[in-house]
Structure formats: structure tokens, C-alpha cells
Amino acid sequence: MHRRTRRSPRHGPRHRVRPALRDRLRQPPRHRRVPREPLEELADRIASQAADTSEREDDIALLLLRWDGPAGGRAAQQLRRRIGQADLARIAELRGELRDALRRWGVPDLIDTAELLSSELVTNAIRHTDRDAMFTARLYQEHGRARLRVEVEDESDLWPTRRTPGEQASSGRGLMLVEALADTWGVEPRGTGKRMWFELSS
């Protein structure tokens, strides 16, 4: 990630973007691989093209982030489902879909753990927000081994906290289960809300 602040001129009360740059931004993305430009050089180039070169000066702040995607590149298989807010009955259906998908993908050994942890993440998401949750499971093949990544996105800014429930408690063990059973896991901000994920290897 690179952040660049540059002083740049401004015409009148509004910023004016050069027509060539405006036309370039309006073009649809090209589905081809292009050489990657260093972020510092890209920041300088954008700042120099964003405004004309006379009259008053004003600040231009750029924050550039480059994400190369998850490790392992493109997923070999994917299952993506939207879960309605407070639709707890949908979780059972999702578990069945995930179970069938993992069998088709050739990783039945991951079914029990993936079902359990997915249920915990989805239940937590739809119980503590007033919006839908998005569930995504992806299978990657790396060096002859399979890696499953499950993500649950919601629009709540509240991050999960680890609790120690009593012996008779019927809830509160979700994060403890994720910590104990997943190969790796984490929580990421996503603008509005968050993405919680875990990975399992076969």
C-alpha cells in the first residue's frame, strides 16, 4: 500500500480533470495481463495528470492499494450463497449445499469441520446484523494438495470477541471452535462491514 500527498494546482472552485484522463477512466477494463507499475510511480503519474498547471494550488491525497488475490491464485471450485437476515433455517440448507459441494470437489475429509465452522460464522453474522450475509467457499489446488477457504461477509462494524462460556452455555463457543479447528483464520475490514474467514487443508 502506498500513500502519496502532492500539491497540485486548481482552477476555480472545482477541480478539473484532463479530458484524456477522464476518457481513460471511463473505458471498460481490459481482460489481459499488463506489466505492474510500482505504486510510487503510479501515484506520481496520477497526481500529475489529475489537474491543470496554473492559478491556485490545492492538496491532492492519493491512497493506493494493490491486492494480488488470495494465495494460490484462481480457485478451482466455488460455492457462493446469500443468507437472509435472521434466516436461521437457511443455515441447514447451506450446510447441505456445502456438504454436497465438498463431495463433488473430492475433499470429503473436510466436510465435518467445514460444516461446523461455516455454521458458526454464518449464525454469528445474521444474528448480530440487520442485513444479509454473503457466504463463499473456494477450493484451491496447490502442489497436489487442496485448500478450502470459507468467507462470510456482513455489514456490521462489530468484530467478534473471544468469550469463555460456562459449561451449561448453549452459545459463545464459535470463535473458540474456529481457533481450535481451522488451519488459519482471520477478520478483515471491507469498507462497510467485515469479512471473517477460515482455511482448511486436505
Side-chain angles (χ1 to χ4, degrees):
M1 183 171 64
H2 183 80
R3 184 175 181 176
R4 168 73 65 180
T5 301
R6 179 182 180 129
R7 297 191 66 82
S8 180
R10 183 178 69 177
H11 279 288
R14 294 186 177 181
H15 294 278
R16 296 173 56 188
V17 179
R18 289 185 175 181
L21 178 60
R22 182 179 61 246
D23 293 341
R24 182 175 179 180
L25 293 174
R26 288 176 175 173
Q27 292 177 356
R30 297 178 179 178
H31 298 287
R32 61 183 179 87
R33 299 184 68 86
V34 297
R36 296 208 164 195
E37 185 175 1
L39 289 184
E40 185 172 357
E41 295 179 11
L42 178 60
D44 287 337
R45 183 165 59 84
I46 293 175
S48 65
Q49 295 179 2
D52 294 329
T53 57
S54 61
E55 296 188 11
R56 299 188 305 175
E57 291 188 343
D58 196 9
D59 291 338
I60 295 178
L62 296 175
L63 179 64
L64 304 181
L65 174 67
R66 172 170 288 156
W67 183 59
D68 295 324
R74 184 183 296 274
Q77 306 288 347
Q78 176 174 292
L79 174 69
R80 189 171 175 84
R81 296 291 184 268
R82 181 174 295 277
I83 311 299
Q85 191 271 329
D87 187 3
L88 297 179
R90 181 71 176 91
I91 297 177
E93 299 176 6
L94 177 65
R95 289 174 60 129
E97 293 182 55
L98 178 61
R99 181 167 56 250
D100 293 342
L102 295 180
R103 286 200 184 103
R104 291 196 310 272
W105 299 349
V107 286
D109 53 307
L110 299 182
I111 288 177
D112 291 343
T113 304
E115 275 193 60
L116 176 62
L117 300 188
S118 296
S119 296
E120 293 292 339
L121 264 59
V122 173
T123 300
N124 181 75
I126 64 176
R127 275 184 172 173
H128 297 93
T129 66
D130 58 357
R131 302 284 182 88
D132 296 351
M134 180 64 71
F135 171 90
T136 306
R138 298 185 179 95
L139 188 73
Y140 298 87
Q141 299 289 344
E142 302 173 331
H143 310 295
R145 298 192 62 186
R147 177 171 58 88
L148 176 69
R149 181 182 176 94
V150 171
E151 301 175 349
V152 177
E153 301 177 0
D154 63 54
E155 298 192 22
S156 171
D157 294 327
L158 297 177
W159 283 39
T161 56
R162 190 178 187 278
R163 293 185 293 168
T164 305
E167 294 183 359
Q168 304 300 319
S170 60
S171 62
R173 295 185 173 88
L175 194 55
M176 294 177 61
L177 289 172
V178 174
E179 289 179 334
L181 300 178
D183 294 340
T184 182
W185 68 278
V187 186
E188 303 167 350
R190 49 178 298 271
T192 56
K194 63 183 179 296
R195 174 188 299 111
M196 191 166 182
W197 58 271
F198 68 84
E199 294 185 355
L200 300 171
S201 298
S202 176

